[in-house]
Amino acid sequence: MPKRKQRKVEEEDSTRTGTPKIDLISTLPDSLLCHILSFLPTRCAMATSVLARRWRHLWKDLLVLDLDNSKHSPYYLPGGTHRFIAFVNAVFAQSKAPHVKKLRLACDIPRGEKKTIKTWIHTVVGPHLQELYLDLSLPCNEFGNRDIKLPEEVLTSASLESLVLKGHMVLTVYDGFVDLPSLKNLELDLNYVDPEFVLDGCWALENLKLTLHESFPLNASDPPVIQMPGSLKRLTLIQADDTEEDLNDIEDLVIDTPLLEYLSITLWARCLQVSISNYPNMVEAHLDIDQDKEQVGWMLELLKALHQTKLLDLKLSTMECLLVAPAFELPEFSRLLNLELEIPYFNSGFLIKLLHNCHMLQVLTLHNREKVSTVEPEEPNCWTLPMKDPDCVISHLKIFEFKGYQDSADEHAFVAYLLERGPILKTMKIHAHRSLGLKYKHRIRQELSTIPRSSKTCKLKVT
Amino acid sequence: MSEIDMAVSKPEIMQPYIWLQTPDGAIQQVEQEIAMFCPFICQEVIQKGTGSSKNCAICLPQRVTPTIFSLILDYCRFHQVAGRSNKERKSYDEKFMRMDTKQLCELTSAADSLQLKPLVDLTSRTLARIIEGKSPEEIRGIFNLPDDLTEEEKLEPLKNTTADPRIRLLNRLYAKKRKELKERERLKNVEVEEENVDDRSVDDLLSFINGNDADPKEMKNSKNKKKNRRRKEQQTSSSLKEASELNNKEINGHNIIPQTDGANGVSEASQSNTEDSTFVPREFDDGDIDEDIDPALQEKLDRRGASEQRLSCLRVTSRSQVQAVESATDVIIREVEDFARILNSDWPERMQELLSLGQERKAMPFTSNGNSFLR
């Protein structure tokens, strides 16, 4: 859109006879121009050197390097990484910057170029480095040991604020420990990582995204422990799908983070002991957890601790575990605005109970993952009209979305109930299960449209 | 105490309005919370006490014109409210950025002079997005930039990323030589005559290769601009040293290997004062050149911190030059050897040390890829 606007301005300028065209951007000082270039990928910034005399050497003062050779990047250099390697060498050779503040490097490691890449990393690591982003996870055709050992200074840097490491890297510190006092953002997606080793030294950390691939820790004698830094505001813990062998049991998972605002866990390794604190600032929580019956207790505890959250997203495994857990009591979600559930089967009674505990709910999304049974006869309708309408249905529920609708009697009754009793309802989207044909969907639409809606502005959509 | 009295004694706290004067002379009042969102205004009020009345209105910087200032005030008015969510702020920013490029540039300039960093970042990002992905002609069109570079100058960035490994290698070797010269000059200031000899022979080298006039002055004046960063790197970890020592294994192999890092490792340990480059001239082997040379060379390049302009006087770019270079390579190599010997009398001893180190390393087990980096 901006491009069109500029053309318009240019046309206006040229129609005005005699108006000299002013160089718009040259009124800005060099430092500002350089600041603008720092938001560009380095290849693009380097290209600005042909724009005009003033721009010739501007890019060389850049303290920020964005070198991305991944396939989806518009600056990808096809035909082998050698062109990219030459390009980056040229950047380092020509740059006049006294140090590098931020480096973003995404490329693969071709045969024999490990040293080159190590050199680049060594060049950049120093007392001024604030952000380091390395994505060496792209497939490379080198066999044998292809891990690059990061220089130790990275893990003991006082200036580093953000560290993202993905792919074939190994972290070690020979003498001493990891010490990253300024680190606010950490993302680790390495083939092998020992979380405790790293997290110990990040005591001011605010954002953490940890992807576990291999079993840890290195020493069999050390128990596998993950202790989240207490300053954490955002936590994403993922157990990668591609783990060749199952992760060992996690002996101790400590999420004692009272400042936590965002939580996302995808995990099925057994956690023998989990410490959970209160999360009064919680805003958004996504849980995709699968645990054996013996360990499910901590999941219930976690759910209770999340009672202040504004958004709650429970995936199928989590719901399955919770529903079969003994003494599963739904906590009261006093601030919940947005609820998303993947349910293993539809049970209106359970849902109504849940709605009673979410007084402020505005958005409800259900995904019925039950397998459609074509042979068994339909179960008797277990819908019972609630004695008291849930507060949220009467006063707050605006958006309702139902995925995998199978048009069972129970489902139909529930949907009808919301239409009839929800005066605030604005949108209702029903996505029929994919096994239902077009004709059936049409019939559903007809049936639901005939139900009297208490909200005049409610839009019903059946797909 | 009347309100006016209180206002006089504590102007910055009691007054809800701040007086500001735009460069055209016009004076206006702005609510305090909104105006104080700009660090510049904040500073003026707190440090100099201005802005409390019409007479001592704060003079806004030249670049803050009235139209732009009202835009800035809109921005401040929205963002100084605490309770807004990140989503709201982002959405406002997106809408706020819808303006033509001229105004965008003016806004960036004004925000910069008022030290309003969030707005500077926002406008800079927007300008960057405008620049990104466009051809030079398009960008020149958008910003009305003068097309004042010669065709040759426009090709320079391309020249500087030559892909031919041989050319690059030579460029680097010459860069190394010149850097080395710088060090010699600095460290051996007493022996002036020797210096002159050195310079001249390098000059000969340069002109012989390139056929152009390598400006001797340029070499002498080179400023090691990257020194700060590199110096700290000299004290870096053992892993670098290990790497460089492992490099020495390839001595008996087929490449020109600068023993510099090995030499450095040794010399740093023994507190010697030189950064010797000790060439071990061998035949070129295309396949492995970059793998073994680049990192060490690059490290040396970075460490010594010669600026790139010096490199440009030695660009070997055309095919014919490459051929000339190839045939002259042996001659050069011999000259370089002689040259090195003149400069570095203990070179043979140094070589011996490194060779023996290399031999020790060779005994260590290799990984399958055969390159010297194990980790």
Side-chain angles (χ1 to χ4, degrees):
Chain A
M1 205 168 128
K3 206 172 172 179
R4 262 182 268 133
K5 267 197 179 158
Q6 267 86 68
R7 290 241 180 82
K8 232 183 165 182
V9 171
E10 275 172 55
E11 279 165 30
E12 286 172 30
D13 273 343
S14 56
T15 50
R16 270 185 256 142
T17 48
T19 320
K21 282 193 174 176
I22 331 149
D23 179 358
L24 304 170
I25 208 167
S26 292
T27 50
L28 300 179
D30 274 358
S31 57
L32 260 189
L33 290 182
C34 206
H35 188 61
I36 294 170
L37 291 184
S38 72
F39 293 110
L40 289 171
T42 306
R43 231 174 113 74
C44 189
M46 206 182 185
T48 62
S49 59
V50 300
L51 283 179
R53 194 154 286 275
R54 183 163 173 217
W55 291 71
R56 252 180 109 190
H57 305 294
L58 275 179
W59 72 271
K60 295 177 186 169
D61 291 322
L62 277 176
L63 300 176
V64 170
L65 294 176
D66 183 353
L67 309 161
D68 192 341
N69 201 40
S70 50
K71 297 241 166 34
H72 58 78
S73 155
Y75 298 99
Y76 171 65
L77 288 167
T81 336
H82 296 285
R83 286 180 63 194
F84 179 71
I85 304 271
F87 159 65
V88 176
N89 282 334
V91 170
F92 276 113
Q94 294 179 54
S95 166
K96 290 190 293 179
H99 51 255
V100 173
K101 253 182 28 183
K102 300 186 193 175
L103 171 70
R104 183 165 171 274
L105 176 67
C107 66
D108 61 12
I109 317 167
R111 262 184 82 73
E113 296 287 8
K114 240 172 39 171
K115 270 175 281 172
T116 316
I117 296 182
K118 278 201 76 161
T119 314
W120 298 341
I121 300 173
H122 272 288
T123 310
V124 154
V125 170
H128 299 275
L129 187 65
Q130 283 178 8
E131 289 182 27
L132 180 62
Y133 178 114
L134 294 176
D135 184 355
L136 306 177
S137 57
L138 301 170
C140 49
N141 49 9
E142 185 166 305
F143 301 104
N145 185 357
R146 51 186 181 173
D147 289 333
I148 289 187
K149 190 172 92 61
L150 276 190
E152 278 182 45
E153 296 95 312
V154 174
L155 297 175
T156 51
S157 161
S159 58
L160 203 60
E161 287 172 17
S162 167
L163 180 62
V164 176
L165 301 174
K166 298 187 194 176
H168 304 288
M169 274 168 279
V170 174
L171 309 174
T172 12
V173 175
Y174 289 116
D175 296 315
F177 307 94
V178 173
D179 183 21
L180 295 163
S182 310
L183 199 70
K184 296 254 162 40
N185 180 52
L186 176 65
E187 196 175 318
L188 295 177
D189 185 359
L190 303 172
N191 290 339
Y192 170 80
V193 68
D194 187 349
E196 204 193 355
F197 169 68
V198 182
L199 293 176
D200 255 353
C202 310
W203 31 271
L205 200 65
E206 288 179 11
N207 291 357
L208 173 64
K209 183 171 176 192
L210 183 60
T211 309
L212 304 171
H213 286 274
E214 299 270 340
S215 292
F216 55 92
L218 177 59
N219 297 325
S221 57
D222 292 342
V225 169
I226 307 180
Q227 174 147 14
M228 302 302 173
S231 50
L232 221 53
K233 285 195 188 154
R234 292 180 65 96
L235 170 62
T236 306
L237 180 62
I238 301 177
Q239 181 175 347
D241 257 341
D242 60 358
T243 335
E244 281 171 12
E245 13 168 300
D246 266 341
L247 285 192
N248 290 337
D249 297 345
I250 297 174
E251 182 93 19
D252 201 356
L253 175 62
V254 180
I255 314 180
D256 186 2
T257 51
L259 302 172
L260 204 63
E261 291 169 16
Y262 174 96
L263 177 67
S264 171
I265 302 184
T266 306
L267 190 66
W268 60 89
R270 282 196 326 174
C271 301
L272 303 178
Q273 196 177 322
V274 183
S275 309
I276 295 174
S277 67
N278 254 330
Y279 310 120
N281 298 344
M282 187 57 70
V283 174
E284 198 174 316
H286 304 261
L287 302 180
D288 186 1
I289 309 174
D290 194 4
Q291 298 282 290
D292 295 335
K293 281 216 185 86
E294 297 87 43
Q295 280 87 39
V296 85
W298 72 263
M299 286 173 67
L300 296 170
E301 212 188 314
L302 180 61
L303 200 62
K304 280 213 197 83
L306 293 171
H307 72 276
Q308 298 269 52
T309 186
K310 292 194 180 157
L311 184 148
L312 184 64
D313 172 19
L314 302 176
K315 297 280 187 255
L316 187 61
S317 325
T318 322
M319 286 308 296
E320 283 175 338
C321 293
L322 292 174
L323 287 170
V324 301
F328 172 39
E329 245 189 62
L330 280 168
E332 284 226 4
F333 293 98
S334 48
R335 306 203 308 194
L336 195 64
L337 299 175
N338 192 325
L339 177 63
E340 191 166 330
L341 299 178
E342 275 185 14
I343 42 183
Y345 52 83
F346 190 86
N347 182 329
S348 59
F350 167 75
L351 288 170
I352 295 290
K353 243 199 280 178
L354 183 59
L355 288 177
H356 272 295
N357 282 12
C358 309
H359 306 281
M360 313 280 288
L361 196 68
Q362 292 179 10
V363 180
L364 175 63
T365 310
L366 293 177
H367 193 153
N368 187 1
R369 299 284 291 262
E370 188 171 6
K371 294 221 169 62
V372 176
S373 55
T374 46
V375 183
E376 290 168 34
E378 207 175 281
E379 286 181 23
N381 191 353
C382 46
W383 166 260
T384 44
L385 195 67
M387 292 212 289
K388 176 178 177 285
D389 292 336
D391 286 338
C392 60
V393 174
I394 307 174
S395 328
H396 296 100
L397 195 66
K398 274 195 248 185
I399 302 172
F400 175 66
E401 193 167 341
F402 198 145
K403 296 181 192 166
Y405 180 76
Q406 291 167 24
D407 201 31
S408 67
D410 197 16
E411 284 171 318
H412 181 98
F414 180 78
V415 171
Y417 171 72
L418 287 180
L419 280 170
E420 286 169 348
R421 297 290 232 258
I424 315 285
L425 205 58
K426 276 213 186 103
T427 325
M428 178 177 287
K429 283 191 197 157
I430 310 289
H431 305 278
H433 193 274
R434 58 176 187 270
S435 63
L436 302 179
L438 269 170
K439 265 198 191 152
Y440 200 148
K441 286 183 193 174
H442 192 67
R443 204 184 68 189
I444 297 171
R445 199 181 292 121
Q446 297 281 69
E447 280 179 12
L448 291 177
S449 308
T450 55
I451 298 170
R453 298 173 209 174
S454 82
S455 160
K456 299 298 163 216
T457 54
C458 177
K459 281 201 191 114
L460 174 66
K461 194 170 171 189
V462 180
T463 54
Chain B
M1 223 184 183
S2 72
E3 213 174 83
I4 302 166
D5 287 343
M6 283 171 88
V8 168
S9 60
K10 290 184 190 169
E12 65 270 13
I13 300 172
M14 294 307 293
Q15 284 282 13
Y17 283 93
I18 295 187
W19 295 87
L20 301 158
Q21 183 174 34
T22 44
D24 62 348
I27 300 179
Q28 54 181 270
Q29 282 184 59
V30 178
E31 296 94 317
Q32 189 175 44
E33 317 89 60
I34 297 173
M36 295 287 262
F37 201 67
C38 299
F40 173 84
I41 296 175
C42 214
Q43 259 179 13
E44 291 285 306
V45 167
I46 292 174
Q47 286 177 9
K48 300 182 191 170
T50 39
S52 50
S53 74
K54 205 167 181 184
N55 297 331
C56 56
I58 298 172
C59 286
L60 294 174
Q62 189 64 30
R63 295 182 270 166
V64 187
T65 61
T67 10
I68 296 293
F69 188 54
S70 75
L71 277 176
I72 294 183
L73 285 180
D74 288 340
Y75 180 86
C76 295
R77 195 170 291 119
F78 181 87
H79 280 282
Q80 59 94 16
V81 174
R84 302 203 196 273
S85 73
N86 282 340
K87 224 176 173 183
E88 285 177 350
R89 289 185 198 268
K90 249 188 147 178
S91 155
Y92 176 86
D93 285 346
E94 258 171 79
K95 290 203 196 101
F96 188 68
M97 281 293 104
R98 293 185 198 158
M99 60 179 80
D100 60 63
T101 17
K102 179 167 181 291
Q103 214 170 43
L104 199 51
C105 295
E106 289 175 352
L107 185 59
T108 314
S109 185
D112 181 53
S113 57
L114 291 176
Q115 299 159 30
L116 195 51
K117 193 172 185 310
L119 187 54
V120 174
D121 283 347
L122 179 61
T123 48
S124 302
R125 269 183 215 273
T126 314
L127 285 167
R129 253 178 283 139
I130 293 174
I131 294 175
E132 190 170 355
K134 300 218 171 63
S135 73
E137 298 83 44
E138 285 175 309
I139 302 175
R140 276 192 220 109
I142 293 170
F143 295 109
N144 296 331
L145 295 174
D147 191 355
D148 55 2
L149 287 171
T150 64
E151 285 310 307
E152 223 219 48
E153 288 168 328
K154 282 183 194 169
L155 288 174
E156 208 177 293
L158 293 174
K159 284 204 292 185
N160 292 339
T161 57
T162 47
D164 189 321
R166 229 169 268 206
I167 294 171
R168 276 189 295 151
L169 174 65
L170 280 171
N171 287 337
R172 290 208 182 91
L173 294 180
Y174 300 138
K176 264 170 77 66
K177 264 294 140 230
R178 269 176 293 120
K179 262 171 293 163
E180 201 190 322
L181 269 184
K182 288 293 132 270
E183 290 313 309
R184 301 260 158 254
E185 279 181 56
R186 285 196 303 117
L187 299 164
K188 294 183 180 177
N189 264 328
V190 187
E191 296 141 315
V192 180
E193 266 130 63
E194 225 179 307
E195 260 188 61
N196 292 339
V197 169
D198 301 343
D199 288 344
R200 253 176 280 134
S201 48
V202 171
D203 274 355
D204 290 345
L205 258 178
L206 300 181
S207 47
F208 175 76
I209 295 306
N210 248 5
N212 22 326
D213 17 312
D215 185 5
K217 271 199 219 128
E218 273 188 273
M219 282 158 34
K220 285 192 185 152
N221 292 340
S222 111
K223 298 165 205 155
N224 294 334
K225 286 184 186 167
K226 293 185 214 160
K227 234 186 198 157
N228 290 338
R229 176 170 79 187
R230 315 307 176 206
R231 252 207 210 117
K232 270 145 198 161
E233 293 217 319
Q234 283 188 21
Q235 290 132 29
T236 48
S237 61
S238 52
S239 58
L240 256 182
K241 193 174 170 179
E242 170 196 46
S244 53
E245 284 173 344
L246 285 170
N247 248 336
N248 297 333
K249 248 203 283 36
E250 301 284 317
I251 287 169
N252 300 331
H254 34 243
N255 302 299
I256 291 188
I257 291 131
Q259 298 308 320
T260 53
D261 299 303
N264 260 343
V266 172
S267 59
E268 275 175 79
S270 60
Q271 294 281 304
S272 85
N273 64 346
T274 55
E275 296 150 6
D276 305 316
S277 93
T278 47
F279 278 71
V280 182
R282 306 272 182 231
E283 313 87 57
F284 281 57
D285 188 321
D286 265 328
D288 290 332
I289 283 176
D290 291 343
E291 290 157 25
D292 295 321
I293 305 289
D294 283 3
L297 257 174
Q298 199 64 45
E299 280 178 301
K300 192 74 162 75
L301 252 178
D302 297 334
R303 282 189 185 185
R304 302 308 159 242
S307 62
E308 183 275 332
Q309 282 86 355
R310 312 304 148 233
L311 265 168
S312 61
C313 73
L314 273 191
R315 290 292 158 205
V316 179
T317 51
S318 70
R319 282 275 151 228
S320 54
Q321 278 181 318
V322 173
Q323 278 153 21
V325 152
E326 279 181 44
S327 61
T329 298
D330 292 335
V331 179
I332 296 161
I333 288 170
R334 260 178 276 122
E335 286 209 13
V336 163
E337 271 185 74
D338 293 336
F339 181 70
R341 238 172 270 135
I342 293 168
L343 297 175
N344 193 4
S345 52
D346 53 349
W347 181 64
E349 284 93 55
R350 183 77 29 90
M351 272 309 307
Q352 283 306 111
E353 255 181 276
L354 294 167
L355 275 169
S356 57
L357 262 176
Q359 294 299 333
E360 283 170 27
R361 286 290 167 185
K362 224 180 178 176
M364 281 169 61
F366 282 84
T367 51
S368 56
N369 61 20
N371 281 320
S372 48
F373 248 108
L374 295 185
R375 250 173 270 287

Short mmCIF file of all heavy atoms in Angstrom, two decimals, chain A residues 184-206:
data_model
loop_
_atom_site.label_atom_id
_atom_site.label_comp_id
_atom_site.label_asym_id
_atom_site.label_seq_id
_atom_site.Cartn_x
_atom_site.Cartn_y
_atom_site.Cartn_z
N LYS A 184 17.67 -11.68 28.64
CA LYS A 184 16.24 -11.60 28.88
C LYS A 184 15.49 -12.64 28.05
O LYS A 184 14.40 -13.08 28.39
CB LYS A 184 15.74 -10.20 28.46
CG LYS A 184 16.32 -9.08 29.28
CD LYS A 184 15.29 -8.54 30.24
CE LYS A 184 15.90 -7.75 31.36
NZ LYS A 184 17.01 -6.87 31.06
N ASN A 185 16.07 -12.98 26.90
CA ASN A 185 15.37 -13.85 25.98
C ASN A 185 16.27 -15.03 25.60
O ASN A 185 17.40 -14.83 25.18
CB ASN A 185 15.00 -13.06 24.71
CG ASN A 185 14.28 -13.92 23.71
OD1 ASN A 185 13.31 -14.56 24.03
ND2 ASN A 185 14.78 -13.96 22.49
N LEU A 186 15.77 -16.22 25.77
CA LEU A 186 16.57 -17.40 25.45
C LEU A 186 15.71 -18.40 24.70
O LEU A 186 14.59 -18.71 25.11
CB LEU A 186 17.11 -18.05 26.73
CG LEU A 186 17.89 -19.35 26.55
CD1 LEU A 186 19.17 -19.11 25.77
CD2 LEU A 186 18.23 -19.97 27.89
N GLU A 187 16.27 -18.90 23.60
CA GLU A 187 15.56 -19.91 22.84
C GLU A 187 16.56 -20.98 22.46
O GLU A 187 17.57 -20.70 21.84
CB GLU A 187 14.97 -19.28 21.57
CG GLU A 187 13.91 -20.13 20.92
CD GLU A 187 13.26 -19.43 19.74
OE1 GLU A 187 12.97 -18.23 19.84
OE2 GLU A 187 13.05 -20.10 18.72
N LEU A 188 16.31 -22.19 22.89
CA LEU A 188 17.22 -23.28 22.60
C LEU A 188 16.49 -24.40 21.88
O LEU A 188 15.51 -24.93 22.38
CB LEU A 188 17.83 -23.84 23.89
CG LEU A 188 18.73 -22.91 24.69
CD1 LEU A 188 19.20 -23.59 25.96
CD2 LEU A 188 19.95 -22.54 23.85
N ASP A 189 17.02 -24.73 20.71
CA ASP A 189 16.44 -25.84 19.96
C ASP A 189 17.62 -26.61 19.40
O ASP A 189 17.86 -26.62 18.19
CB ASP A 189 15.53 -25.29 18.86
CG ASP A 189 14.79 -26.39 18.11
OD1 ASP A 189 15.01 -27.58 18.43
OD2 ASP A 189 14.01 -26.06 17.21
N LEU A 190 18.37 -27.21 20.30
CA LEU A 190 19.58 -27.90 19.90
C LEU A 190 19.36 -29.39 19.96
O LEU A 190 18.54 -29.87 20.74
CB LEU A 190 20.73 -27.52 20.83
CG LEU A 190 21.01 -26.03 20.91
CD1 LEU A 190 22.02 -25.76 22.01
CD2 LEU A 190 21.56 -25.56 19.58
N ASN A 191 20.16 -30.10 19.17
CA ASN A 191 20.03 -31.55 19.19
C ASN A 191 20.30 -32.11 20.57
O ASN A 191 19.74 -33.11 20.97
CB ASN A 191 21.00 -32.17 18.19
CG ASN A 191 20.58 -31.86 16.77
OD1 ASN A 191 19.42 -31.56 16.53
ND2 ASN A 191 21.51 -31.91 15.86
N TYR A 192 21.21 -31.47 21.21
CA TYR A 192 21.48 -31.91 22.57
C TYR A 192 21.62 -30.69 23.47
O TYR A 192 22.36 -29.77 23.15
CB TYR A 192 22.78 -32.73 22.62
CG TYR A 192 23.18 -32.97 24.03
CD1 TYR A 192 22.58 -33.97 24.77
CD2 TYR A 192 24.06 -32.11 24.67
CE1 TYR A 192 22.87 -34.14 26.10
CE2 TYR A 192 24.37 -32.28 26.00
CZ TYR A 192 23.77 -33.29 26.70
OH TYR A 192 24.05 -33.45 28.02
N VAL A 193 20.93 -30.67 24.55
CA VAL A 193 21.11 -29.57 25.48
C VAL A 193 20.82 -30.06 26.89
O VAL A 193 19.97 -30.91 27.09
CB VAL A 193 20.19 -28.37 25.13
CG1 VAL A 193 18.73 -28.71 25.37
CG2 VAL A 193 20.56 -27.15 25.94
N ASP A 194 21.55 -29.54 27.81
CA ASP A 194 21.30 -29.84 29.21
C ASP A 194 20.69 -28.59 29.83
O ASP A 194 21.40 -27.64 30.13
CB ASP A 194 22.62 -30.19 29.88
CG ASP A 194 22.40 -30.68 31.30
OD1 ASP A 194 21.27 -30.56 31.82
OD2 ASP A 194 23.37 -31.18 31.89
N PRO A 195 19.38 -28.56 30.00
CA PRO A 195 18.73 -27.32 30.38
C PRO A 195 19.24 -26.75 31.70
O PRO A 195 19.43 -25.55 31.82
CB PRO A 195 17.25 -27.70 30.51
CG PRO A 195 17.10 -29.02 29.92
CD PRO A 195 18.43 -29.67 29.86
N GLU A 196 19.47 -27.63 32.67
CA GLU A 196 19.85 -27.09 33.96
C GLU A 196 21.16 -26.33 33.87
O GLU A 196 21.32 -25.28 34.48
CB GLU A 196 19.98 -28.23 34.96
CG GLU A 196 19.78 -27.71 36.36
CD GLU A 196 20.19 -28.69 37.42
OE1 GLU A 196 20.54 -29.82 37.06
OE2 GLU A 196 20.13 -28.31 38.59
N PHE A 197 22.06 -26.87 33.08
CA PHE A 197 23.36 -26.26 32.91
C PHE A 197 23.23 -24.82 32.43
O PHE A 197 23.92 -23.91 32.90
CB PHE A 197 24.14 -27.11 31.91
CG PHE A 197 25.40 -26.49 31.42
CD1 PHE A 197 26.46 -26.29 32.27
CD2 PHE A 197 25.53 -26.11 30.10
CE1 PHE A 197 27.64 -25.72 31.83
CE2 PHE A 197 26.70 -25.55 29.64
CZ PHE A 197 27.76 -25.35 30.50
N VAL A 198 22.31 -24.60 31.51
CA VAL A 198 22.17 -23.26 30.94
C VAL A 198 21.31 -22.37 31.83
O VAL A 198 21.67 -21.24 32.13
CB VAL A 198 21.55 -23.33 29.53
CG1 VAL A 198 21.45 -21.95 28.93
CG2 VAL A 198 22.36 -24.23 28.63
N LEU A 199 20.18 -22.89 32.27
CA LEU A 199 19.22 -22.06 33.01
C LEU A 199 19.77 -21.56 34.34
O LEU A 199 19.37 -20.51 34.82
CB LEU A 199 17.92 -22.83 33.23
CG LEU A 199 17.13 -23.11 31.96
CD1 LEU A 199 15.91 -23.95 32.27
CD2 LEU A 199 16.72 -21.82 31.29
N ASP A 200 20.69 -22.32 34.91
CA ASP A 200 21.30 -21.90 36.17
C ASP A 200 21.88 -20.51 36.10
O ASP A 200 21.86 -19.77 37.07
CB ASP A 200 22.43 -22.88 36.52
CG ASP A 200 22.01 -23.80 37.62
OD1 ASP A 200 20.92 -23.61 38.18
OD2 ASP A 200 22.78 -24.72 37.93
N GLY A 201 22.43 -20.19 34.93
CA GLY A 201 23.13 -18.92 34.82
C GLY A 201 22.29 -17.78 34.28
O GLY A 201 22.79 -16.69 34.03
N CYS A 202 20.99 -18.02 34.07
CA CYS A 202 20.16 -16.97 33.47
C CYS A 202 19.15 -16.48 34.49
O CYS A 202 17.96 -16.75 34.37
CB CYS A 202 19.41 -17.51 32.27
SG CYS A 202 20.44 -18.39 31.08
N TRP A 203 19.63 -15.75 35.49
CA TRP A 203 18.70 -15.47 36.57
C TRP A 203 17.83 -14.23 36.35
O TRP A 203 17.00 -13.91 37.18
CB TRP A 203 19.44 -15.40 37.90
CG TRP A 203 20.82 -14.89 37.79
CD1 TRP A 203 21.95 -15.62 37.57
CD2 TRP A 203 21.25 -13.54 37.86
NE1 TRP A 203 23.05 -14.82 37.52
CE2 TRP A 203 22.64 -13.52 37.70
CE3 TRP A 203 20.57 -12.33 38.06
CZ2 TRP A 203 23.39 -12.35 37.71
CZ3 TRP A 203 21.31 -11.16 38.09
CH2 TRP A 203 22.71 -11.19 37.91
N ALA A 204 18.04 -13.54 35.22
CA ALA A 204 17.17 -12.39 34.93
C ALA A 204 16.28 -12.68 33.73
O ALA A 204 15.64 -11.79 33.18
CB ALA A 204 18.02 -11.16 34.65
N LEU A 205 16.19 -13.96 33.36
CA LEU A 205 15.51 -14.34 32.13
C LEU A 205 14.02 -14.04 32.17
O LEU A 205 13.36 -14.33 33.17
CB LEU A 205 15.73 -15.83 31.89
CG LEU A 205 15.51 -16.31 30.46
CD1 LEU A 205 16.53 -15.68 29.55
CD2 LEU A 205 15.61 -17.81 30.40
N GLU A 206 13.51 -13.47 31.08
CA GLU A 206 12.08 -13.18 31.02
C GLU A 206 11.35 -14.06 30.02
O GLU A 206 10.20 -14.43 30.22
CB GLU A 206 11.86 -11.71 30.67
CG GLU A 206 12.22 -10.79 31.81
CD GLU A 206 12.03 -9.32 31.48
OE1 GLU A 206 11.43 -9.02 30.43
OE2 GLU A 206 12.48 -8.49 32.28
#
